[in-house]
PDB file of all heavy atoms in Angstrom:
ATOM      1  N   ASP A   3      33.221  -3.696  81.079  1.00  0.00           N
ATOM      2  CA  ASP A   3      33.367  -2.249  80.884  1.00  0.00           C
ATOM      3  C   ASP A   3      32.165  -1.627  80.186  1.00  0.00           C
ATOM      4  O   ASP A   3      31.803  -0.482  80.453  1.00  0.00           O
ATOM      5  CB  ASP A   3      34.623  -1.950  80.053  1.00  0.00           C
ATOM      6  CG  ASP A   3      35.898  -2.046  80.877  1.00  0.00           C
ATOM      7  OD1 ASP A   3      35.779  -2.145  82.110  1.00  0.00           O
ATOM      8  OD2 ASP A   3      36.983  -2.031  80.296  1.00  0.00           O
ATOM      9  N   LEU A   4      31.548  -2.378  79.273  1.00  0.00           N
ATOM     10  CA  LEU A   4      30.527  -1.779  78.402  1.00  0.00           C
ATOM     11  C   LEU A   4      29.083  -2.089  78.777  1.00  0.00           C
ATOM     12  O   LEU A   4      28.180  -1.347  78.393  1.00  0.00           O
ATOM     13  CB  LEU A   4      30.765  -2.239  76.949  1.00  0.00           C
ATOM     14  CG  LEU A   4      32.045  -1.749  76.270  1.00  0.00           C
ATOM     15  CD1 LEU A   4      32.155  -2.381  74.880  1.00  0.00           C
ATOM     16  CD2 LEU A   4      32.064  -0.238  76.157  1.00  0.00           C
ATOM     17  N   MET A   5      28.840  -3.162  79.512  1.00  0.00           N
ATOM     18  CA  MET A   5      27.452  -3.595  79.679  1.00  0.00           C
ATOM     19  C   MET A   5      26.603  -2.606  80.482  1.00  0.00           C
ATOM     20  O   MET A   5      25.371  -2.603  80.352  1.00  0.00           O
ATOM     21  CB  MET A   5      27.391  -4.980  80.320  1.00  0.00           C
ATOM     22  CG  MET A   5      27.917  -5.072  81.716  1.00  0.00           C
ATOM     23  SD  MET A   5      27.875  -6.798  82.269  1.00  0.00           S
ATOM     24  CE  MET A   5      28.599  -6.632  83.897  1.00  0.00           C
ATOM     25  N   ASP A   6      27.243  -1.760  81.268  1.00  0.00           N
ATOM     26  CA  ASP A   6      26.486  -0.746  82.005  1.00  0.00           C
ATOM     27  C   ASP A   6      26.577   0.627  81.336  1.00  0.00           C
ATOM     28  O   ASP A   6      26.257   1.650  81.943  1.00  0.00           O
ATOM     29  CB  ASP A   6      26.990  -0.654  83.449  1.00  0.00           C
ATOM     30  CG  ASP A   6      26.670  -1.918  84.244  1.00  0.00           C
ATOM     31  OD1 ASP A   6      25.494  -2.310  84.262  1.00  0.00           O
ATOM     32  OD2 ASP A   6      27.599  -2.503  84.823  1.00  0.00           O
ATOM     33  N   LYS A   7      27.047   0.647  80.082  1.00  0.00           N
ATOM     34  CA  LYS A   7      27.216   1.910  79.360  1.00  0.00           C
ATOM     35  C   LYS A   7      26.429   1.897  78.054  1.00  0.00           C
ATOM     36  O   LYS A   7      26.955   2.151  76.976  1.00  0.00           O
ATOM     37  CB  LYS A   7      28.702   2.171  79.108  1.00  0.00           C
ATOM     38  CG  LYS A   7      29.496   2.350  80.403  1.00  0.00           C
ATOM     39  CD  LYS A   7      30.982   2.504  80.147  1.00  0.00           C
ATOM     40  CE  LYS A   7      31.749   2.622  81.463  1.00  0.00           C
ATOM     41  NZ  LYS A   7      33.204   2.652  81.259  1.00  0.00           N
ATOM     42  N   ASP A   8      25.156   1.552  78.167  1.00  0.00           N
ATOM     43  CA  ASP A   8      24.201   1.612  77.049  1.00  0.00           C
ATOM     44  C   ASP A   8      24.511   0.641  75.917  1.00  0.00           C
ATOM     45  O   ASP A   8      24.151   0.904  74.757  1.00  0.00           O
ATOM     46  CB  ASP A   8      24.112   3.040  76.486  1.00  0.00           C
ATOM     47  CG  ASP A   8      23.622   4.031  77.525  1.00  0.00           C
ATOM     48  OD1 ASP A   8      22.733   3.666  78.300  1.00  0.00           O
ATOM     49  OD2 ASP A   8      24.142   5.160  77.565  1.00  0.00           O
ATOM     50  N   LEU A   9      25.170  -0.474  76.210  1.00  0.00           N
ATOM     51  CA  LEU A   9      25.357  -1.502  75.193  1.00  0.00           C
ATOM     52  C   LEU A   9      24.016  -2.188  74.944  1.00  0.00           C
ATOM     53  O   LEU A   9      23.386  -2.683  75.875  1.00  0.00           O
ATOM     54  CB  LEU A   9      26.401  -2.525  75.649  1.00  0.00           C
ATOM     55  CG  LEU A   9      26.739  -3.641  74.666  1.00  0.00           C
ATOM     56  CD1 LEU A   9      27.382  -3.083  73.406  1.00  0.00           C
ATOM     57  CD2 LEU A   9      27.651  -4.680  75.318  1.00  0.00           C
ATOM     58  N   LYS A  10      23.573  -2.204  73.680  1.00  0.00           N
ATOM     59  CA  LYS A  10      22.239  -2.719  73.355  1.00  0.00           C
ATOM     60  C   LYS A  10      22.259  -4.109  72.734  1.00  0.00           C
ATOM     61  O   LYS A  10      21.357  -4.905  72.971  1.00  0.00           O
ATOM     62  CB  LYS A  10      21.530  -1.763  72.391  1.00  0.00           C
ATOM     63  CG  LYS A  10      21.342  -0.352  72.930  1.00  0.00           C
ATOM     64  CD  LYS A  10      20.464  -0.321  74.169  1.00  0.00           C
ATOM     65  CE  LYS A  10      20.233   1.109  74.654  1.00  0.00           C
ATOM     66  NZ  LYS A  10      19.475   1.137  75.934  1.00  0.00           N
ATOM     67  N   ARG A  11      23.261  -4.393  71.917  1.00  0.00           N
ATOM     68  CA  ARG A  11      23.241  -5.663  71.182  1.00  0.00           C
ATOM     69  C   ARG A  11      24.654  -6.194  70.999  1.00  0.00           C
ATOM     70  O   ARG A  11      25.601  -5.430  70.833  1.00  0.00           O
ATOM     71  CB  ARG A  11      22.590  -5.466  69.810  1.00  0.00           C
ATOM     72  CG  ARG A  11      22.513  -6.750  68.965  1.00  0.00           C
ATOM     73  CD  ARG A  11      22.018  -6.464  67.562  1.00  0.00           C
ATOM     74  NE  ARG A  11      20.672  -5.919  67.577  1.00  0.00           N
ATOM     75  CZ  ARG A  11      20.248  -4.965  66.763  1.00  0.00           C
ATOM     76  NH1 ARG A  11      21.079  -4.419  65.895  1.00  0.00           N
ATOM     77  NH2 ARG A  11      19.007  -4.536  66.826  1.00  0.00           N
ATOM     78  N   ILE A  12      24.770  -7.522  71.015  1.00  0.00           N
ATOM     79  CA  ILE A  12      26.028  -8.196  70.718  1.00  0.00           C
ATOM     80  C   ILE A  12      25.767  -9.166  69.581  1.00  0.00           C
ATOM     81  O   ILE A  12      24.874 -10.013  69.672  1.00  0.00           O
ATOM     82  CB  ILE A  12      26.570  -8.956  71.948  1.00  0.00           C
ATOM     83  CG1 ILE A  12      26.771  -7.999  73.133  1.00  0.00           C
ATOM     84  CG2 ILE A  12      27.883  -9.659  71.611  1.00  0.00           C
ATOM     85  CD1 ILE A  12      27.106  -8.697  74.440  1.00  0.00           C
ATOM     86  N   CYS A  13      26.524  -9.041  68.504  1.00  0.00           N
ATOM     87  CA  CYS A  13      26.358  -9.910  67.341  1.00  0.00           C
ATOM     88  C   CYS A  13      27.591 -10.799  67.212  1.00  0.00           C
ATOM     89  O   CYS A  13      28.716 -10.307  67.189  1.00  0.00           O
ATOM     90  CB  CYS A  13      26.159  -9.071  66.072  1.00  0.00           C
ATOM     91  SG  CYS A  13      25.717 -10.067  64.625  1.00  0.00           S
ATOM     92  N   VAL A  14      27.375 -12.110  67.135  1.00  0.00           N
ATOM     93  CA  VAL A  14      28.475 -13.077  67.060  1.00  0.00           C
ATOM     94  C   VAL A  14      28.310 -13.961  65.824  1.00  0.00           C
ATOM     95  O   VAL A  14      27.267 -13.957  65.185  1.00  0.00           O
ATOM     96  CB  VAL A  14      28.529 -13.945  68.338  1.00  0.00           C
ATOM     97  CG1 VAL A  14      28.703 -13.082  69.573  1.00  0.00           C
ATOM     98  CG2 VAL A  14      27.253 -14.782  68.467  1.00  0.00           C
ATOM     99  N   ASN A  15      29.363 -14.731  65.527  1.00  0.00           N
ATOM    100  CA  ASN A  15      29.307 -15.543  64.304  1.00  0.00           C
ATOM    101  C   ASN A  15      29.231 -17.041  64.557  1.00  0.00           C
ATOM    102  O   ASN A  15      29.301 -17.830  63.616  1.00  0.00           O
ATOM    103  CB  ASN A  15      30.509 -15.226  63.401  1.00  0.00           C
ATOM    104  CG  ASN A  15      31.834 -15.686  64.001  1.00  0.00           C
ATOM    105  OD1 ASN A  15      31.972 -15.816  65.220  1.00  0.00           O
ATOM    106  ND2 ASN A  15      32.812 -15.941  63.147  1.00  0.00           N
ATOM    107  N   THR A  16      29.108 -17.451  65.827  1.00  0.00           N
ATOM    108  CA  THR A  16      28.909 -18.876  66.121  1.00  0.00           C
ATOM    109  C   THR A  16      27.887 -19.031  67.240  1.00  0.00           C
ATOM    110  O   THR A  16      27.803 -18.186  68.138  1.00  0.00           O
ATOM    111  CB  THR A  16      30.224 -19.571  66.557  1.00  0.00           C
ATOM    112  OG1 THR A  16      30.599 -19.116  67.869  1.00  0.00           O
ATOM    113  CG2 THR A  16      31.353 -19.306  65.571  1.00  0.00           C
ATOM    114  N   ASN A  17      27.144 -20.131  67.193  1.00  0.00           N
ATOM    115  CA  ASN A  17      26.161 -20.399  68.242  1.00  0.00           C
ATOM    116  C   ASN A  17      26.836 -20.679  69.586  1.00  0.00           C
ATOM    117  O   ASN A  17      26.297 -20.340  70.639  1.00  0.00           O
ATOM    118  CB  ASN A  17      25.281 -21.593  67.840  1.00  0.00           C
ATOM    119  CG  ASN A  17      24.247 -21.216  66.794  1.00  0.00           C
ATOM    120  OD1 ASN A  17      23.496 -20.249  66.969  1.00  0.00           O
ATOM    121  ND2 ASN A  17      24.205 -21.964  65.695  1.00  0.00           N
ATOM    122  N   GLU A  18      28.012 -21.280  69.523  1.00  0.00           N
ATOM    123  CA  GLU A  18      28.761 -21.558  70.757  1.00  0.00           C
ATOM    124  C   GLU A  18      29.121 -20.258  71.474  1.00  0.00           C
ATOM    125  O   GLU A  18      28.985 -20.145  72.697  1.00  0.00           O
ATOM    126  CB  GLU A  18      30.031 -22.337  70.416  1.00  0.00           C
ATOM    127  CG  GLU A  18      30.866 -22.701  71.637  1.00  0.00           C
ATOM    128  CD  GLU A  18      32.156 -23.413  71.269  1.00  0.00           C
ATOM    129  OE1 GLU A  18      32.381 -23.683  70.071  1.00  0.00           O
ATOM    130  OE2 GLU A  18      32.954 -23.679  72.189  1.00  0.00           O
ATOM    131  N   LEU A  19      29.560 -19.275  70.703  1.00  0.00           N
ATOM    132  CA  LEU A  19      29.912 -17.978  71.280  1.00  0.00           C
ATOM    133  C   LEU A  19      28.670 -17.269  71.809  1.00  0.00           C
ATOM    134  O   LEU A  19      28.716 -16.608  72.859  1.00  0.00           O
ATOM    135  CB  LEU A  19      30.607 -17.116  70.223  1.00  0.00           C
ATOM    136  CG  LEU A  19      31.295 -15.824  70.693  1.00  0.00           C
ATOM    137  CD1 LEU A  19      32.284 -16.100  71.809  1.00  0.00           C
ATOM    138  CD2 LEU A  19      31.997 -15.152  69.519  1.00  0.00           C
ATOM    139  N   LYS A  20      27.560 -17.427  71.107  1.00  0.00           N
ATOM    140  CA  LYS A  20      26.303 -16.819  71.563  1.00  0.00           C
ATOM    141  C   LYS A  20      25.907 -17.361  72.934  1.00  0.00           C
ATOM    142  O   LYS A  20      25.533 -16.592  73.838  1.00  0.00           O
ATOM    143  CB  LYS A  20      25.189 -17.089  70.551  1.00  0.00           C
ATOM    144  CG  LYS A  20      23.836 -16.519  70.981  1.00  0.00           C
ATOM    145  CD  LYS A  20      22.730 -16.898  70.021  1.00  0.00           C
ATOM    146  CE  LYS A  20      21.386 -16.381  70.534  1.00  0.00           C
ATOM    147  NZ  LYS A  20      20.260 -16.785  69.651  1.00  0.00           N
ATOM    148  N   GLU A  21      25.995 -18.681  73.101  1.00  0.00           N
ATOM    149  CA  GLU A  21      25.634 -19.292  74.373  1.00  0.00           C
ATOM    150  C   GLU A  21      26.590 -18.870  75.488  1.00  0.00           C
ATOM    151  O   GLU A  21      26.177 -18.609  76.620  1.00  0.00           O
ATOM    152  CB  GLU A  21      25.632 -20.819  74.242  1.00  0.00           C
ATOM    153  CG  GLU A  21      24.455 -21.362  73.456  1.00  0.00           C
ATOM    154  CD  GLU A  21      23.121 -20.915  74.029  1.00  0.00           C
ATOM    155  OE1 GLU A  21      22.944 -21.026  75.265  1.00  0.00           O
ATOM    156  OE2 GLU A  21      22.269 -20.437  73.260  1.00  0.00           O
ATOM    157  N   LYS A  22      27.868 -18.789  75.150  1.00  0.00           N
ATOM    158  CA  LYS A  22      28.885 -18.397  76.126  1.00  0.00           C
ATOM    159  C   LYS A  22      28.627 -16.987  76.649  1.00  0.00           C
ATOM    160  O   LYS A  22      28.645 -16.744  77.870  1.00  0.00           O
ATOM    161  CB  LYS A  22      30.271 -18.474  75.468  1.00  0.00           C
ATOM    162  CG  LYS A  22      31.421 -18.016  76.349  1.00  0.00           C
ATOM    163  CD  LYS A  22      32.737 -18.062  75.567  1.00  0.00           C
ATOM    164  CE  LYS A  22      33.881 -17.461  76.363  1.00  0.00           C
ATOM    165  NZ  LYS A  22      35.154 -17.471  75.583  1.00  0.00           N
ATOM    166  N   ILE A  23      28.361 -16.044  75.744  1.00  0.00           N
ATOM    167  CA  ILE A  23      28.124 -14.655  76.142  1.00  0.00           C
ATOM    168  C   ILE A  23      26.784 -14.524  76.860  1.00  0.00           C
ATOM    169  O   ILE A  23      26.667 -13.798  77.862  1.00  0.00           O
ATOM    170  CB  ILE A  23      28.188 -13.730  74.913  1.00  0.00           C
ATOM    171  CG1 ILE A  23      29.633 -13.672  74.389  1.00  0.00           C
ATOM    172  CG2 ILE A  23      27.697 -12.329  75.263  1.00  0.00           C
ATOM    173  CD1 ILE A  23      29.796 -12.889  73.116  1.00  0.00           C
ATOM    174  N   SER A  24      25.765 -15.225  76.379  1.00  0.00           N
ATOM    175  CA  SER A  24      24.439 -15.162  77.008  1.00  0.00           C
ATOM    176  C   SER A  24      24.492 -15.628  78.454  1.00  0.00           C
ATOM    177  O   SER A  24      23.858 -15.040  79.336  1.00  0.00           O
ATOM    178  CB  SER A  24      23.433 -16.012  76.215  1.00  0.00           C
ATOM    179  OG  SER A  24      23.260 -15.505  74.912  1.00  0.00           O
ATOM    180  N   GLU A  25      25.278 -16.670  78.703  1.00  0.00           N
ATOM    181  CA  GLU A  25      25.412 -17.177  80.078  1.00  0.00           C
ATOM    182  C   GLU A  25      26.098 -16.146  80.974  1.00  0.00           C
ATOM    183  O   GLU A  25      25.693 -15.935  82.123  1.00  0.00           O
ATOM    184  CB  GLU A  25      26.214 -18.478  80.073  1.00  0.00           C
ATOM    185  CG  GLU A  25      26.341 -19.090  81.460  1.00  0.00           C
ATOM    186  CD  GLU A  25      27.116 -20.396  81.471  1.00  0.00           C
ATOM    187  OE1 GLU A  25      27.503 -20.862  80.381  1.00  0.00           O
ATOM    188  OE2 GLU A  25      27.340 -20.935  82.570  1.00  0.00           O
ATOM    189  N   LYS A  26      27.127 -15.481  80.446  1.00  0.00           N
ATOM    190  CA  LYS A  26      27.816 -14.450  81.219  1.00  0.00           C
ATOM    191  C   LYS A  26      26.851 -13.321  81.574  1.00  0.00           C
ATOM    192  O   LYS A  26      26.828 -12.826  82.708  1.00  0.00           O
ATOM    193  CB  LYS A  26      28.996 -13.893  80.425  1.00  0.00           C
ATOM    194  CG  LYS A  26      30.151 -14.854  80.224  1.00  0.00           C
ATOM    195  CD  LYS A  26      31.245 -14.220  79.380  1.00  0.00           C
ATOM    196  CE  LYS A  26      32.349 -15.208  79.048  1.00  0.00           C
ATOM    197  NZ  LYS A  26      33.097 -15.680  80.231  1.00  0.00           N
ATOM    198  N   LEU A  27      26.040 -12.898  80.599  1.00  0.00           N
ATOM    199  CA  LEU A  27      25.096 -11.805  80.836  1.00  0.00           C
ATOM    200  C   LEU A  27      24.031 -12.196  81.859  1.00  0.00           C
ATOM    201  O   LEU A  27      23.602 -11.369  82.668  1.00  0.00           O
ATOM    202  CB  LEU A  27      24.436 -11.385  79.514  1.00  0.00           C
ATOM    203  CG  LEU A  27      25.382 -10.745  78.474  1.00  0.00           C
ATOM    204  CD1 LEU A  27      24.628 -10.469  77.183  1.00  0.00           C
ATOM    205  CD2 LEU A  27      26.003  -9.460  79.019  1.00  0.00           C
ATOM    206  N   ARG A  28      23.621 -13.462  81.841  1.00  0.00           N
ATOM    207  CA  ARG A  28      22.652 -13.938  82.842  1.00  0.00           C
ATOM    208  C   ARG A  28      23.257 -13.860  84.246  1.00  0.00           C
ATOM    209  O   ARG A  28      22.597 -13.434  85.196  1.00  0.00           O
ATOM    210  CB  ARG A  28      22.223 -15.382  82.533  1.00  0.00           C
ATOM    211  CG  ARG A  28      21.208 -15.505  81.403  1.00  0.00           C
ATOM    212  CD  ARG A  28      20.574 -16.884  81.381  1.00  0.00           C
ATOM    213  NE  ARG A  28      21.547 -17.920  81.033  1.00  0.00           N
ATOM    214  CZ  ARG A  28      21.826 -18.304  79.777  1.00  0.00           C
ATOM    215  NH1 ARG A  28      21.203 -17.724  78.755  1.00  0.00           N
ATOM    216  NH2 ARG A  28      22.719 -19.246  79.548  1.00  0.00           N
ATOM    217  N   ASN A  29      24.518 -14.250  84.350  1.00  0.00           N
ATOM    218  CA  ASN A  29      25.190 -14.206  85.653  1.00  0.00           C
ATOM    219  C   ASN A  29      25.348 -12.774  86.162  1.00  0.00           C
ATOM    220  O   ASN A  29      25.412 -12.539  87.363  1.00  0.00           O
ATOM    221  CB  ASN A  29      26.565 -14.867  85.555  1.00  0.00           C
ATOM    222  CG  ASN A  29      26.471 -16.365  85.325  1.00  0.00           C
ATOM    223  OD1 ASN A  29      25.468 -16.988  85.667  1.00  0.00           O
ATOM    224  ND2 ASN A  29      27.511 -16.946  84.742  1.00  0.00           N
ATOM    225  N   TRP A  30      25.424 -11.817  85.228  1.00  0.00           N
ATOM    226  CA  TRP A  30      25.574 -10.404  85.589  1.00  0.00           C
ATOM    227  C   TRP A  30      24.232  -9.665  85.622  1.00  0.00           C
ATOM    228  O   TRP A  30      24.196  -8.449  85.782  1.00  0.00           O
ATOM    229  CB  TRP A  30      26.505  -9.701  84.596  1.00  0.00           C
ATOM    230  CG  TRP A  30      27.934 -10.132  84.691  1.00  0.00           C
ATOM    231  CD1 TRP A  30      28.616 -10.456  85.830  1.00  0.00           C
ATOM    232  CD2 TRP A  30      28.867 -10.287  83.616  1.00  0.00           C
ATOM    233  NE1 TRP A  30      29.917 -10.797  85.525  1.00  0.00           N
ATOM    234  CE2 TRP A  30      30.109 -10.695  84.178  1.00  0.00           C
ATOM    235  CE3 TRP A  30      28.790 -10.102  82.223  1.00  0.00           C
ATOM    236  CZ2 TRP A  30      31.241 -10.936  83.388  1.00  0.00           C
ATOM    237  CZ3 TRP A  30      29.927 -10.345  81.455  1.00  0.00           C
ATOM    238  CH2 TRP A  30      31.127 -10.753  82.038  1.00  0.00           C
ATOM    239  N   ASN A  31      23.125 -10.402  85.464  1.00  0.00           N
ATOM    240  CA  ASN A  31      21.783  -9.803  85.439  1.00  0.00           C
ATOM    241  C   ASN A  31      21.658  -8.722  84.361  1.00  0.00           C
ATOM    242  O   ASN A  31      21.061  -7.657  84.582  1.00  0.00           O
ATOM    243  CB  ASN A  31      21.430  -9.207  86.817  1.00  0.00           C
ATOM    244  CG  ASN A  31      21.313 -10.266  87.897  1.00  0.00           C
ATOM    245  OD1 ASN A  31      20.744 -11.331  87.667  1.00  0.00           O
ATOM    246  ND2 ASN A  31      21.864  -9.979  89.064  1.00  0.00           N
ATOM    247  N   LYS A  32      22.206  -9.023  83.188  1.00  0.00           N
ATOM    248  CA  LYS A  32      22.124  -8.086  82.061  1.00  0.00           C
ATOM    249  C   LYS A  32      21.496  -8.759  80.845  1.00  0.00           C
ATOM    250  O   LYS A  32      21.959  -8.640  79.710  1.00  0.00           O
ATOM    251  CB  LYS A  32      23.520  -7.559  81.715  1.00  0.00           C
ATOM    252  CG  LYS A  32      24.126  -6.649  82.751  1.00  0.00           C
ATOM    253  CD  LYS A  32      23.331  -5.371  82.958  1.00  0.00           C
ATOM    254  CE  LYS A  32      23.349  -4.461  81.762  1.00  0.00           C
ATOM    255  NZ  LYS A  32      22.648  -3.169  82.024  1.00  0.00           N
ATOM    256  N   GLU A  33      20.385  -9.455  81.082  1.00  0.00           N
ATOM    257  CA  GLU A  33      19.707 -10.167  79.998  1.00  0.00           C
ATOM    258  C   GLU A  33      18.962  -9.226  79.053  1.00  0.00           C
ATOM    259  O   GLU A  33      18.410  -9.666  78.037  1.00  0.00           O
ATOM    260  CB  GLU A  33      18.748 -11.200  80.588  1.00  0.00           C
ATOM    261  CG  GLU A  33      19.475 -12.320  81.332  1.00  0.00           C
ATOM    262  CD  GLU A  33      18.536 -13.288  82.015  1.00  0.00           C
ATOM    263  OE1 GLU A  33      18.058 -14.210  81.329  1.00  0.00           O
ATOM    264  OE2 GLU A  33      18.269 -13.105  83.227  1.00  0.00           O
ATOM    265  N   ASP A  34      18.930  -7.923  79.391  1.00  0.00           N
ATOM    266  CA  ASP A  34      18.296  -6.953  78.499  1.00  0.00           C
ATOM    267  C   ASP A  34      19.164  -6.665  77.273  1.00  0.00           C
ATOM    268  O   ASP A  34      18.691  -6.077  76.294  1.00  0.00           O
ATOM    269  CB  ASP A  34      18.015  -5.641  79.240  1.00  0.00           C
ATOM    270  CG  ASP A  34      19.273  -5.041  79.869  1.00  0.00           C
ATOM    271  OD1 ASP A  34      20.072  -5.817  80.422  1.00  0.00           O
ATOM    272  OD2 ASP A  34      19.443  -3.815  79.809  1.00  0.00           O
ATOM    273  N   ILE A  35      20.435  -7.078  77.298  1.00  0.00           N
ATOM    274  CA  ILE A  35      21.308  -6.911  76.133  1.00  0.00           C
ATOM    275  C   ILE A  35      21.041  -8.062  75.163  1.00  0.00           C
ATOM    276  O   ILE A  35      21.178  -9.237  75.516  1.00  0.00           O
ATOM    277  CB  ILE A  35      22.795  -6.891  76.539  1.00  0.00           C
ATOM    278  CG1 ILE A  35      23.077  -5.704  77.469  1.00  0.00           C
ATOM    279  CG2 ILE A  35      23.685  -6.817  75.303  1.00  0.00           C
ATOM    280  CD1 ILE A  35      24.496  -5.674  78.016  1.00  0.00           C
ATOM    281  N   GLU A  36      20.662  -7.721  73.956  1.00  0.00           N
ATOM    282  CA  GLU A  36      20.324  -8.723  72.948  1.00  0.00           C
ATOM    283  C   GLU A  36      21.591  -9.381  72.397  1.00  0.00           C
ATOM    284  O   GLU A  36      22.570  -8.700  72.077  1.00  0.00           O
ATOM    285  CB  GLU A  36      19.555  -8.060  71.805  1.00  0.00           C
ATOM    286  CG  GLU A  36      19.107  -9.022  70.713  1.00  0.00           C
ATOM    287  CD  GLU A  36      18.437  -8.323  69.546  1.00  0.00           C
ATOM    288  OE1 GLU A  36      18.515  -7.076  69.477  1.00  0.00           O
ATOM    289  OE2 GLU A  36      17.846  -9.022  68.710  1.00  0.00           O
ATOM    290  N   VAL A  37      21.569 -10.710  72.290  1.00  0.00           N
ATOM    291  CA  VAL A  37      22.686 -11.446  71.702  1.00  0.00           C
ATOM    292  C   VAL A  37      22.161 -12.206  70.485  1.00  0.00           C
ATOM    293  O   VAL A  37      21.251 -13.028  70.599  1.00  0.00           O
ATOM    294  CB  VAL A  37      23.313 -12.440  72.701  1.00  0.00           C
ATOM    295  CG1 VAL A  37      24.545 -13.112  72.079  1.00  0.00           C
ATOM    296  CG2 VAL A  37      23.699 -11.745  73.996  1.00  0.00           C
ATOM    297  N   VAL A  38      22.706 -11.910  69.320  1.00  0.00           N
ATOM    298  CA  VAL A  38      22.243 -12.548  68.079  1.00  0.00           C
ATOM    299  C   VAL A  38      23.420 -13.221  67.385  1.00  0.00           C
ATOM    300  O   VAL A  38      24.571 -12.809  67.525  1.00  0.00           O
ATOM    301  CB  VAL A  38      21.588 -11.523  67.125  1.00  0.00           C
ATOM    302  CG1 VAL A  38      20.349 -10.925  67.751  1.00  0.00           C
ATOM    303  CG2 VAL A  38      22.564 -10.430  66.733  1.00  0.00           C
ATOM    304  N   CYS A  39      23.101 -14.273  66.631  1.00  0.00           N
ATOM    305  CA  CYS A  39      24.126 -15.006  65.896  1.00  0.00           C
ATOM    306  C   CYS A  39      23.872 -14.864  64.401  1.00  0.00           C
ATOM    307  O   CYS A  39      22.752 -15.064  63.925  1.00  0.00           O
ATOM    308  CB  CYS A  39      24.112 -16.482  66.296  1.00  0.00           C
ATOM    309  SG  CYS A  39      25.326 -17.483  65.408  1.00  0.00           S
ATOM    310  N   ASP A  40      24.907 -14.503  63.683  1.00  0.00           N
ATOM    311  CA  ASP A  40      24.834 -14.390  62.230  1.00  0.00           C
ATOM    312  C   ASP A  40      26.061 -15.094  61.671  1.00  0.00           C
ATOM    313  O   ASP A  40      27.175 -14.589  61.740  1.00  0.00           O
ATOM    314  CB  ASP A  40      24.824 -12.911  61.812  1.00  0.00           C
ATOM    315  CG  ASP A  40      24.603 -12.735  60.314  1.00  0.00           C
ATOM    316  OD1 ASP A  40      24.713 -13.737  59.581  1.00  0.00           O
ATOM    317  OD2 ASP A  40      24.333 -11.604  59.890  1.00  0.00           O
ATOM    318  N   VAL A  41      25.860 -16.282  61.103  1.00  0.00           N
ATOM    319  CA  VAL A  41      26.993 -17.079  60.629  1.00  0.00           C
ATOM    320  C   VAL A  41      27.540 -16.560  59.307  1.00  0.00           C
ATOM    321  O   VAL A  41      28.614 -16.968  58.863  1.00  0.00           O
ATOM    322  CB  VAL A  41      26.609 -18.568  60.479  1.00  0.00           C
ATOM    323  CG1 VAL A  41      26.289 -19.172  61.825  1.00  0.00           C
ATOM    324  CG2 VAL A  41      25.431 -18.743  59.531  1.00  0.00           C
TER     325      VAL A  41
END
């Protein structure tokens, strides 16, 4: 719902979640959305 509506960054609290979301964004060709991990 949000990735085509000016979503700029996703902040997560685990590296596993970061990898999971990053892979989804790659499959959707939305690698311009920054994914950062802050434990």
